[in-house]
Amino acid sequence: MARSTSFLLLISIALNIAHGFVSTRPTPINLSPSTATSLNAAPATKVHILSTESEVNAAVHTIVESAAKDAIAKRGHFALAIPGGSVLKVLSTLDPSFDWPTKTTLAFVNHKCVDVTDVSSAIEAQAREKFVDRWGLTDVISLGGTSDGEKEATEYEAKLRALPESKLPRDDDGFPMFDLCLVGVGDDGHIGSLYPNRDEIDIINGPWITSSYKKEPPGISLTLPVMQRASKTVISAAGKSPKYPNGKASAMRLAIADENVTPKEFPASALRENAVWILDEPNGSEMKEMGLSSVEKAVGDD
């Protein structure tokens, strides 16, 4: 009788999971105080304002190749996370100097829940068209291609968790540690798909991936603790337009230097302490007191 009851209970649980009544997302991780994710806008110490957009691109290119070389020398593999937007443009002009793309796993900092082959809206399709296929990088962690944000977030996290630590290391709290995480910042301060004044930015000890319903279709994003725990996180901003003659200068000042802003109001400020910030002069024009740096200093800043 007990065996029959247990069997029925298992059937009931399975049916509930199948219909979405029971969450299959990983439970929150209890962090020690020394490793807890920071939601404080700590001082930014690794800020480099370079003269030109081409210098910013050169610095990012060198950092990517250097991080790849170090990771492959250490454990034979390189784990890279990228966003969409301007970072894709930067990477599109990178020509690998050795075969590191064949030893790389590529994941996405954020991605819309769309058909991954749709060049008009899918970061993966855009990245493949601009550089991934040309590089010969084949180990890409793809979304499923549906418009279901929660389903895509759950499945994407499962794919990342399935990677061995030789491909994607973990820290003592069990969070992934990408060798390099390139992050873009929006005018409103969003990073990945973590937008201001929304619950997603408050995730500090839970899942690796969250769904985001700020826009339609929804998207998925690495959570803040994953961005903060990368071996190296780089935020770059370069270029300008007639509409934005100083690029993202105001956003960069708020993200890097404003003493009153909070990560809830301006999520990028949560990466002040973690990221290396590399800007060209227009994008750094509201922080002239910092002076100009050099490509060499930006590349060497750990």
Side-chain angles (χ1 to χ4, degrees), residues 152-297:
E152 291 290 346
T154 299
E155 292 182 356
Y156 203 77
E157 179 160 342
K159 291 176 182 179
L160 292 179
R161 288 181 177 272
L163 295 173
E165 291 199 40
S166 59
K167 284 192 172 184
L168 183 60
R170 274 68 153 177
D171 70 1
D172 291 341
D173 294 315
F175 280 106
M177 294 179 63
F178 285 94
D179 297 298
L180 179 61
C181 185
L182 302 178
V183 179
V185 176
D187 290 336
D188 61 355
H190 76 265
I191 46 176
S193 292
L194 307 181
Y195 287 88
N197 300 309
R198 292 183 61 85
D199 292 341
E200 293 88 5
I201 191 63
D202 295 326
I203 299 172
I204 60 173
N205 65 346
W208 299 359
I209 303 291
T210 183
S211 55
S212 173
Y213 289 86
K214 169 72 173 177
K215 299 179 180 180
E216 286 295 334
I220 68 166
S221 177
L222 297 182
T223 55
L224 182 60
V226 178
M227 295 186 201
Q228 289 185 335
R229 282 167 167 76
S231 296
K232 191 159 193 170
T233 299
V234 173
I235 294 174
S236 63
K240 56 185 180 179
S241 66
K243 185 177 180 180
Y244 297 105
N246 291 324
K248 295 180 179 178
S250 294
M252 290 299 103
R253 177 184 56 78
L254 287 167
I256 293 169
D258 193 294
E259 295 181 356
N260 298 314
V261 76
T262 67
K264 185 74 172 181
E265 299 165 331
F266 211 79
S269 65
L271 295 178
R272 282 183 183 176
E273 189 176 15
N274 312 92
V276 178
W277 303 77
I278 308 175
L279 324 174
D280 66 1
E281 268 198 278
N283 284 271
S285 60
E286 294 190 13
M287 297 176 288
K288 291 181 179 179
E289 68 279 2
M290 291 189 176
L292 289 179
S293 183
S294 67
V295 172
E296 293 73 22
K297 288 179 180 179

